[in-house]
Amino acid sequence: SYVLTQPPSVSVAPGKTARISCGGNNIGSKGVHWYQQKPGQAPVLVIYYDSDRPSGIPERFSGSNSGNTATLTISRVEAGDEADYYCQVWDTNSDFGVFGTGTKVTVL
Amino acid sequence: QVQLQESGPRLVKPSETLSLTCAVSGGSVNNDPYYWSWIRQPPGKGLEYIGHIFYSGSTSYNPSLLSRVTISFNPSKNQFSLILTSVTAADTALYYCARTSVSGPVEYWGQGTLVTVSS
């Protein structure tokens, strides 16, 4: 089945920019969705279809997708952004969701 | 606002069957054109999509679990359910029910329920 690879961890200083990659074969041809999960909480959708933001998600969260890599960018990082982040696509062959391996973002 | 709430036994013995139910409010499992999904997360690990049932009643499952999983719904109670047979310790996880847009993102999540497989 389709595999999505993320870096295990990303560290960033407050006020700086964090970029989280999600690699997959020709992922640019798929819609990519991103979730933020804080400890003890269910995931929250922060980006859908590559770059759209649900209502209530700050403009600091943005996304892009091309070739074999999708990227979630968090600008002007705040302490409250510290969380695990997962990318997700749809495996159209088998009709089920595929999640990335997850990235832990640490705010220094 | 759609809300989902999981319920079911928190402890299951190895080789037995795990059974969970998701109660839905703010939406209809057999009228709203969405996937009603189950997703799990082993302690300290990542997310795994188990499968879903569409409002029409059609289902789709993760190939890695296909032989052991069944998802169904009960329209009269506006609930949907997960059955996972022949469980092992590897099935210990936080189980989430969710509403997923067709072939798209997971829009709403339940709070999750931890199921432990142990004798």
Side-chain angles (χ1 to χ4, degrees):
Chain A
S1 62
Y2 196 76
V3 176
L4 295 173
T5 303
Q6 299 180 234
S9 62
V10 167
S11 297
V12 59
K16 299 300 185 183
T17 297
R19 293 181 179 85
I20 305 163
S21 63
C22 176
N25 184 35
N26 197 26
I27 194 174
S29 66
K30 297 179 179 294
V32 179
H33 320 297
W34 290 92
Y35 304 87
Q36 175 192 70
Q37 186 180 33
K38 296 183 178 179
Q41 298 182 19
V44 172
L45 181 67
V46 295
I47 292 289
Y48 63 102
Y49 288 113
D50 299 342
S51 59
D52 290 333
R53 270 188 319 276
S55 61
I57 300 301
E59 291 183 6
R60 301 185 297 103
F61 288 82
S62 62
S64 62
N65 184 19
S66 178
N68 293 317
T69 304
T71 303
L72 173 68
T73 301
I74 311 172
S75 304
R76 302 181 300 283
V77 166
E78 302 174 357
D81 299 330
E82 191 162 279
D84 293 327
Y85 291 83
Y86 295 90
C87 57
Q88 179 241 320
V89 300
W90 205 259
D91 184 325
T92 52
N93 290 333
S94 301
D95 190 26
F96 75 104
V98 177
F99 289 97
T101 49
T103 298
K104 181 175 181 59
V105 170
T106 299
V107 180
L108 301 172
Chain B
Q1 180 80 347
V2 176
Q3 293 185 312
L4 305 104
Q5 178 66 59
E6 305 89 350
S7 63
R10 304 295 182 91
L11 180 65
V12 182
K13 290 182 168 54
S15 80
E16 296 191 346
T17 296
L18 180 157
S19 179
L20 295 174
T21 295
C22 181
V24 178
S25 58
S28 171
V29 296
N30 64 328
N31 286 311
D32 295 346
Y34 294 99
Y35 292 159
W36 302 96
S37 306
W38 287 97
I39 297 161
R40 69 180 183 179
Q41 184 172 33
K45 296 188 178 180
L47 300 165
E48 180 181 35
Y49 195 91
I50 298 171
H52 61 257
I53 185 165
F54 193 36
Y55 81 116
S56 63
S58 64
T59 55
S60 184
Y61 304 123
N62 188 321
S64 70
L65 298 169
L66 182 58
S67 63
R68 299 195 292 132
V69 66
T70 303
I71 297 174
S72 59
F73 60 45
N74 184 338
S76 64
K77 294 185 177 181
N78 208 32
Q79 296 175 342
F80 63 105
S81 298
L82 169 71
I83 299 282
L84 184 65
T85 61
S86 304
V87 298
T88 70
D91 295 310
T92 293
L94 190 57
Y95 284 77
Y96 293 101
C97 62
R99 193 189 87 172
T100 304
S101 66
V102 175
S103 304
V106 182
E107 300 170 325
Y108 295 98
W109 300 71
Q111 65 183 26
T113 187
L114 178 63
V115 179
T116 302
V117 178
S118 174
S119 55

